[in-house]
Amino acid sequence: MSLNHYYLLGRSGLRVSRLALGTMNFGTGGFHAAYGKTEEEARPIFRRYLEAGGNFIDTADFYTAGESETILGNLIAEAKVRDRVVLTTKFTNSVDPGDPNAGGNGRKHMIRAVEASLRRLRTDYIDLFMLHTWDRITPVEEVMRTFDDLTRAGKIRYAGLSDVPSWYAARAQTYAEAHSLVPAVSLQLPYSLIERAIELEHVAMGQSLGLGITAWSPLGGGFLTGKYRQADRGLVGEGRLSDGGSAGRSWTDEQWRLLATLESVADSLGVTMAQVAVNWVATQPGVAAAIIGASSVAQLDANLTALDFDLPADLRARLDEASSTPPPSVYRMFTPDYQAWLISPDVKVADKPAQYAPPVRNWAHDGSD
């Protein structure tokens, strides 16, 4: 079990682990309190991730009402690993309900947010500072120019976007390129076997414009672990999805069939359903890293082994088929079957031959993988 293989994040020179540690449950404040961990409970999880070679840490100023950042700041200082880790935090959510400029993506809030995060994280720079959610009204030009200013000021090293429409990310990136501003290098989005919508546009856009996708909720909110089982019309099991609260949801017959396929694939490989689900996400096109969380060291250890095996092509095809949904509307025209109509049936056309861009690896001196 090791995360000692690192890859570049997007079109950048930043090297990150393929599994990032999500820390939304570090702290007991805010609406995450129901499943939050104290600093003492979070410490062994954080230390275990570092021991495994992980270097990619994800948080946000909104998580546990700022406690996640505070706990991370303490743990990083305690372990003396600030330069080793790639520290990511995000802004957008309001930090003061009475102040209209204490939330959103405007320049005033961006600067206020980064200064507050720096204090809580006990550091003088953030490796990756990300817009958390599209607020629908702030001009993208304002966001990208502020990212550029914060980078030039040394407060952040890289910029990124999270939970935005693909057209917005494309506009942001092309504007930055056209005006010689620092580009975004990362795009954080929900992605799992039960949530594949980003494949319609975001993945190809990220590949084309240099945005490495970091996938959150690769386990579909816990559904893909198999701990929830169909019973009549409801859910049985323990966890956030079975409490009947705002996090609960109903699952379709197709999703229950997908779960059965996932279980079959996991059994054939001798691994857990969660490990297969994380492996599938982390090895999908355009994905730089999958964000994994944990409520215990044991759970983290299980997740960290998700990349210790290869997912055979035939089993991946089974998962792809079981989790696929028909593309809506105009997206049907971009499928291989439809695209075949655009050329002569007597020729084959592709983007580049397979050997056009072989992977560049810079592993250990013995050349081993």
Side-chain angles (χ1 to χ4, degrees):
M1 173 177 51
S2 173
L3 297 180
N4 287 326
H5 288 177
Y6 307 93
Y7 293 86
L8 299 181
L9 181 61
R11 192 176 297 148
S12 78
L14 186 63
R15 300 160 187 177
V16 299
S17 306
R18 297 174 73 192
L19 297 180
L21 179 64
T23 63
M24 188 171 65
N25 65 334
F26 283 19
T28 57
F31 69 83
H32 305 101
Y35 54 91
K37 300 296 177 183
T38 65
E39 184 170 325
E40 290 69 28
E41 293 171 322
R43 180 178 290 106
I45 297 171
F46 175 78
R47 289 292 184 97
R48 184 69 192 96
Y49 178 74
L50 294 181
E51 290 168 2
N55 76 336
F56 201 7
I57 312 291
D58 181 82
T59 187
D61 61 0
F62 183 59
Y63 294 164
T64 56
E67 284 187 30
S68 176
E69 288 186 329
T70 299
I71 290 174
L72 267 179
N74 293 339
L75 295 178
I76 290 171
E78 178 183 88
K80 297 180 173 60
V81 292
R82 179 62 194 94
D83 287 336
R84 173 184 166 183
V85 299
V86 176
L87 183 55
T88 300
T89 193
K90 302 180 285 291
F91 75 93
T92 293
N93 294 84
S94 176
V95 296
D96 182 355
D99 182 354
N101 286 307
N105 299 325
R107 182 181 183 89
K108 182 177 175 66
H109 179 57
M110 283 183 70
I111 295 174
R112 174 180 180 172
V114 77
E115 296 289 359
S117 289
L118 289 171
R119 288 193 296 270
R120 285 190 291 265
L121 291 166
R122 297 176 59 182
T123 185
D124 56 4
Y125 71 96
I126 293 166
D127 293 296
L128 176 61
F129 191 51
M130 303 186 74
L131 177 153
H132 204 158
T133 310
W134 181 45
D135 69 4
R136 303 190 303 167
I137 54 177
T138 302
V140 69
E141 299 85 353
E142 181 174 340
V143 172
M144 298 312 292
R145 287 199 174 275
T146 307
F147 273 141
D148 189 72
D149 289 343
L150 292 174
T151 305
R152 293 176 188 276
K155 296 183 184 298
I156 70 174
R157 298 293 187 258
Y158 295 91
L161 304 169
S162 170
D163 300 337
V164 299
S166 59
W167 68 260
Y168 182 91
R171 167 70 175 167
Q173 199 72 327
T174 52
Y175 180 83
E177 292 176 353
H179 294 84
S180 300
L181 306 177
V182 296
V185 302
S186 183
L187 180 61
Q188 192 172 120
L189 297 164
Y191 191 37
S192 70
L193 281 164
I194 60 167
E195 182 56 78
R196 297 179 59 180
I198 69 169
E199 294 175 5
L200 293 173
E201 289 193 13
H202 287 85
V203 171
M205 182 275 300
Q207 291 173 310
S208 177
L209 298 181
L211 292 153
I213 293 174
T214 54
W216 61 265
S217 197
L219 295 177
F223 180 72
L224 297 172
T225 65
K227 64 183 177 182
Y228 303 106
R229 298 295 177 176
Q230 198 170 16
D232 299 323
R233 288 181 160 181
L235 292 171
V236 297
E238 297 179 357
R240 285 182 286 151
L241 299 181
S242 61
D243 61 9
S246 60
R249 59 171 290 182
S250 299
W251 302 95
T252 65
D253 291 340
E254 290 78 10
Q255 288 167 333
W256 287 115
R257 285 194 288 269
L258 163 62
L259 198 66
T261 300
L262 177 60
E263 184 173 25
S264 174
V265 168
D267 288 345
S268 69
L269 293 172
V271 297
T272 68
M273 296 167 68
Q275 288 166 339
V276 172
V278 171
N279 185 299
W280 182 90
V281 168
T283 56
Q284 283 290 98
V287 174
I291 301 173
I292 57 172
S295 60
S296 67
V297 171
Q299 188 180 72
L300 178 64
D301 280 341
N303 288 336
L304 290 177
T305 61
L307 298 182
D308 285 358
F309 61 92
D310 293 324
L311 191 56
D314 60 326
L315 297 184
R316 181 182 290 274
R318 286 182 60 193
L319 294 172
D320 289 347
E321 181 179 2
S323 61
S324 67
T325 56
S329 185
V330 69
Y331 294 100
R332 289 190 292 270
M333 300 180 186
F334 311 142
T335 61
D337 288 344
Y338 190 100
Q339 291 282 304
W341 295 356
L342 307 184
I343 58 173
S344 166
D346 299 324
V347 298
K348 294 182 179 181
V349 176
D351 176 27
K352 301 289 189 301
Q355 68 274 18
Y356 178 82
V360 176
R361 292 187 174 90
N362 193 10
W363 294 146
H365 294 301
D366 62 4
S368 65
D369 278 353

